[in-house]
Amino acid sequence: MIDLRSDTVTKPTEVMRKAAYEAEVGDDVYEEDPTVNRLEDKAAELLGKEKALFVTSGTQGNQIAALTHCRPGEEVILEASSHIYIYEVGGFSTLANVQVRPIPGMNGAMDPVEVKNSIRSENIHYPTTSLICIENTHNLAGGAVLPLSNMQAINQIAKENNLQVHLDGARLFNAQVASGISVKEYAKNADSVQFCLSKGLGAPVGSIIAGTEEFINRARKWRKMLGGGLRQVGIIAAPGLIALEENIDRLAEDHVHAKLLADGLANIDGIKVENKVETNIIIINVKETKHTPESFVDALKYKGVLAGVFGLDTIRFVTHYDVTSEDIDKALVAVQEIV
Ligand SMILES: Cc1ncc(COP(=O)(O)O)c(C=O)c1O
């Protein structure tokens, strides 16, 4: 099977498995796991933040950010198709007890003027706006890279209004590789950052959140409350370190493969590529073929290719390190055969 459903399906490499086996460990609730400490230091350094914290998943990282930044009853501005709003089980309202204020974006980017206009004024009837969340790259916008200028404008508005900014950078390293702008530069425009080790970077488990030392000290308590205080967790932090040491620049290959696939798909009758394909995600519209998205995905599966139903007329492919250029050629043949 050529699995193009997501970049989360990668299996850890030999090197990662060996690193897990050999990892030096300690009790991380006591902050005594040397491998976790090395991973957190490395992540903080890459992001240019004072401190970082290893968390179980991207979702847990985002939830901890809301819990740490906000008080119950406050309001959070976010993009209407953001992962936090669509795919995190309503956690912001359930766990952090905050109200979300979704703003539809353009390619995942919110209009700074709309953001500014959505900040609540002081009024006895209103909730207090306390946080703005941005997502880069933007998953549902097809891995779109948010312009740095957009993030800068939003951060400036946040600071003028005494608000915090959280960056859901599950795929922030894809943005770095695609744009040439460092994660540190992006991270300057957010008070807290979450990124995933277990997507294109290829680690089996884990995410990082980073911010000031004071923020991370409070975040650590929320992580404990959520059951994310783990013990000899160096075993899973070790592959995360390998991911940061060896797999960042390699993301460029995923982007090349995505472009190859997108260009090939665009040449197939009836298929329309819906997104700009800046990173590793391709969304295609199959309305002009004989298939529904469901029957398209089923037919592809029969040919040995896995893709995901995305929307009413669309399906999605995601490239990652277990996908080769031969796989891309095979996937294109499979699509050609079924349309
Ligand atoms: C933008 C974004 N944020 C957060 C997450 C959540 O990550 P996890 O699956 O590790 O909870 C994802 C997962 O796909 C994502 O795409």
Side-chain angles (χ1 to χ4, degrees), residues 114-148:
E114 264 194 77
V115 171
K116 189 172 179 183
N117 292 340
S118 302
I119 298 170
R120 303 283 189 164
S121 55
E122 189 48 52
N123 182 311
I124 185 71
H125 303 93
Y126 293 163
T128 303
T129 312
S130 58
L131 178 67
I132 303 172
C133 294
I134 43 187
E135 184 175 314
N136 195 7
T137 64
H138 195 289
N139 184 343
L140 282 189
V145 179
L146 250 62
L148 182 64

Side-chain angles (χ1 to χ4, degrees), residues 43-306:
E45 185 198 316
L46 280 168
L47 292 169
K49 296 292 183 200
E50 282 174 20
K51 231 174 153 126
L53 187 69
F54 186 44
V55 294
T56 55
S57 65
T59 301
Q60 191 185 59
N62 289 335
Q63 297 302 320
I64 289 174
L67 284 158
T68 311
H69 284 304
C70 307
R71 282 181 298 195
E74 292 181 339
E75 191 166 69
V76 177
I77 295 172
L78 43 60
E79 203 279 321
S81 60
S82 61
H83 192 278
I84 290 171
Y85 184 54
I86 305 282
Y87 290 129
E88 298 193 8
V89 210
F92 269 36
S93 57
T94 310
L95 299 174
N97 289 294
V98 291
Q99 173 164 292
V100 284
R101 181 91 179 260
I103 297 182
M106 193 65 147
N107 279 330
M110 293 180 286
D111 177 349
V113 175
E114 264 194 77
V115 171
K116 189 172 179 183
N117 292 340
S118 302
I119 298 170
R120 303 283 189 164
S121 55
E122 189 48 52
N123 182 311
I124 185 71
H125 303 93
Y126 293 163
T128 303
T129 312
S130 58
L131 178 67
I132 303 172
C133 294
I134 43 187
E135 184 175 314
N136 195 7
T137 64
H138 195 289
N139 184 343
L140 282 189
V145 179
L146 250 62
L148 182 64
S149 56
N150 179 265
M151 291 179 57
Q152 286 167 332
I154 290 176
N155 187 43
Q156 192 180 335
I157 289 162
K159 294 299 142 293
E160 284 164 6
N161 290 276
N162 216 9
L163 309 182
Q164 302 290 294
V165 175
H166 172 65
L167 168 59
D168 177 357
R171 296 181 181 79
L172 192 61
F173 286 96
N174 291 83
Q176 168 176 296
V177 167
S179 68
I181 296 167
S182 69
V183 291
K184 200 178 267 181
E185 204 54 39
Y186 286 120
K188 274 185 192 161
N189 299 289
D191 300 283
S192 60
V193 183
Q194 181 276 119
F195 75 81
C196 292
L197 294 156
S198 61
K199 300 203 159 58
L201 295 177
V205 183
S207 282
I208 292 287
I209 52 172
T212 62
E213 184 164 3
E214 187 270 336
F215 171 85
I216 291 298
N217 289 343
R218 287 188 294 122
R220 189 183 295 280
K221 275 209 128 162
W222 286 115
R223 184 185 71 169
K224 188 78 181 83
M225 190 188 284
L226 295 180
L230 306 178
R231 303 297 177 173
Q232 286 72 35
V233 73
I235 284 181
I236 56 172
L241 261 171
I242 305 278
L244 288 183
E245 281 158 7
E246 296 186 2
N247 287 354
I248 295 174
D249 293 340
R250 195 215 53 79
L251 291 169
E253 266 174 52
D254 299 348
H255 299 177
V256 169
H257 289 156
K259 264 263 181 286
L260 269 178
L261 184 56
D263 291 347
L265 288 165
N267 284 329
I268 298 175
D269 269 357
I271 304 267
K272 185 168 171 270
V273 178
E274 291 271 7
N275 64 321
K276 206 168 137 200
V277 191
E278 294 174 85
T279 56
N280 66 330
I281 300 177
I282 306 119
I283 301 163
I284 61 166
N285 192 309
V286 298
K287 200 162 113 191
E288 301 296 319
T289 70
K290 62 183 186 237
H291 289 286
T292 63
E294 288 77 13
S295 72
F296 198 106
V297 163
D298 282 348
L300 267 184
K301 188 173 177 184
Y302 190 70
K303 297 272 178 194
V305 177
L306 299 178

